[in-house]
Amino acid sequence: METRTSGLEPGLYIVAGPIGNLGDLTPRGAEVLRLADVVAVEDTRVSARLLRHAGSDRPMVPYHDHSPENVRQRLVDRMAGESVALLSDAGTPLISDPGYKLVRDARAAGRRITTLPGPSAAIAALTLSGLPTDRFLFMGFLPSKAKARGDALDEVAGLRATLVFYESGPRLSESLSAMAAHLGDRDAAVSREISKTFEETACGTLSELSARYADAPPKGEIVVTVGPPGDAPPASAEDADAALLEALTRLSVSKAAGEVAKKLGLDRRTLYDRATELKG
């Protein structure tokens, strides 16, 4: 077992780093980076710049998607007597990176776990979008293949919440077009280079934004926020009859009326009377 050398208690420290401006690193996060026995990072070249900014000379250990399991186990073992800081390339660790596995194994081993909150591109983009923030779902990156991407969008199309996606410049226009096709042409926002010199947020419908970026893929890290679906139009008499006729093939008049009332938001008694007529 390694010997503890820092002034921190042994365990895992999840440190949120900047998503752009290095000044966004919190004082507490900087202190942990200076005191930790070792810093687990996605890319040592990226994190070296932040550690220099924080005044830290602590050793780094690469830990990322392709790290073998024994790397994770060695870090968990070290946490018994040393402090291990976890740092992603940008923003809060565990959001679209493999850090959750390290937290899971550290918790299973009974290690002390501390999080140091800070920047997150998904949350920052929500605050810039002007879209509802009372309910939202983080979707990460959509699949690259059209069928899988469409399936993922269909799965959340009816969710009454703002959706948050990460995306790359070359895929942006195509992804926005797919969102419009599967979610409807909703209000949306594209935020890029958040907290950097060329920060930009463009708002519009999904089809408008897709057209905007079709011939000019943007550079930098991109977050797409998509507003929730609008209110559905009220069901017509024809809709109600069609739903009742289908339900009556499976259910009694009373149960069919109840099922359709719940599905279409219509009066159950009125539907019961209509179902009786249709059944006759």
Side-chain angles (χ1 to χ4, degrees):
M1 183 183 299
E2 301 284 349
T3 303
R4 177 184 166 199
T5 60
S6 78
L8 297 173
E9 291 294 321
L12 175 63
Y13 293 79
I14 305 165
V15 181
I19 56 177
N21 192 312
L22 293 179
D24 291 338
L25 178 66
T26 67
R28 184 172 173 232
E31 181 183 32
V32 166
L33 294 179
R34 288 192 296 270
L35 295 178
D37 290 303
V38 65
V39 183
V41 302
E42 283 188 80
D43 188 321
T44 56
R45 296 165 298 179
V46 173
S47 294
R49 180 168 174 252
L50 180 59
L51 263 61
R52 286 195 300 270
H53 173 79
S56 171
D57 60 357
R58 309 313 299 149
M60 292 181 286
V61 173
Y63 178 70
H64 45 72
D65 276 324
H66 306 294
S67 296
E69 284 197 24
N70 63 348
V71 172
R72 184 165 67 250
Q73 186 56 55
R74 285 199 296 269
L75 287 170
V76 172
D77 290 343
R78 293 185 69 168
M79 292 174 203
E82 291 187 295
S83 53
V84 176
L86 176 64
L87 188 66
S88 68
D89 282 352
T92 300
L94 281 71
I95 308 301
S96 280
D97 79 24
Y100 80 91
K101 297 176 184 178
L102 184 61
V103 173
R104 177 196 62 196
D105 290 1
R107 191 169 300 283
R111 305 296 188 244
R112 183 178 188 270
I113 302 173
T114 302
T115 189
L116 287 78
S120 166
I123 299 302
L126 275 170
T127 67
L128 291 167
S129 70
L131 297 170
T133 56
D134 53 333
R135 297 183 70 200
F136 60 87
L137 174 66
F138 175 65
M139 295 285 292
F141 285 92
L142 285 170
S144 57
K145 294 187 177 179
K147 175 64 165 60
R149 181 174 56 213
D151 290 344
L153 291 169
D154 288 340
E155 185 179 349
V156 297
L159 186 66
R160 302 198 65 79
T162 294
L163 306 175
V164 184
F165 303 89
Y166 286 168
E167 196 47 272
S168 67
R171 298 189 348 163
L172 179 59
S173 180
E174 184 179 0
S175 291
L176 290 167
S177 179
M179 291 174 195
H182 290 270
L183 302 176
D185 201 14
R186 304 184 191 178
D187 289 335
V190 174
S191 298
R192 67 182 195 88
E193 297 292 84
I194 297 174
S195 189
K196 297 179 182 177
T197 302
F198 299 105
E199 177 182 309
E200 175 188 61
T201 295
C203 300
T205 65
L206 285 166
S207 61
E208 290 169 345
L209 291 169
S210 178
R212 172 178 177 147
Y213 295 110
D215 297 322
K219 296 180 179 180
E221 297 176 347
I222 299 165
V223 185
V224 178
T225 44
V226 182
D231 293 331
S236 65
E238 291 78 11
D239 293 333
D241 280 359
L244 284 171
L245 286 169
E246 191 283 324
L248 286 169
T249 65
R250 303 177 284 104
L251 303 169
S252 67
V253 169
S254 177
K255 289 184 177 179
E259 178 181 277
V260 175
K262 183 177 180 180
K263 179 180 178 181
L264 299 183
L266 298 174
D267 178 69
R268 186 181 183 281
R269 183 65 200 179
T270 301
L271 289 171
Y272 178 86
D273 293 341
R274 180 58 178 157
T276 301
E277 293 176 11
L278 292 172
K279 187 76 171 180

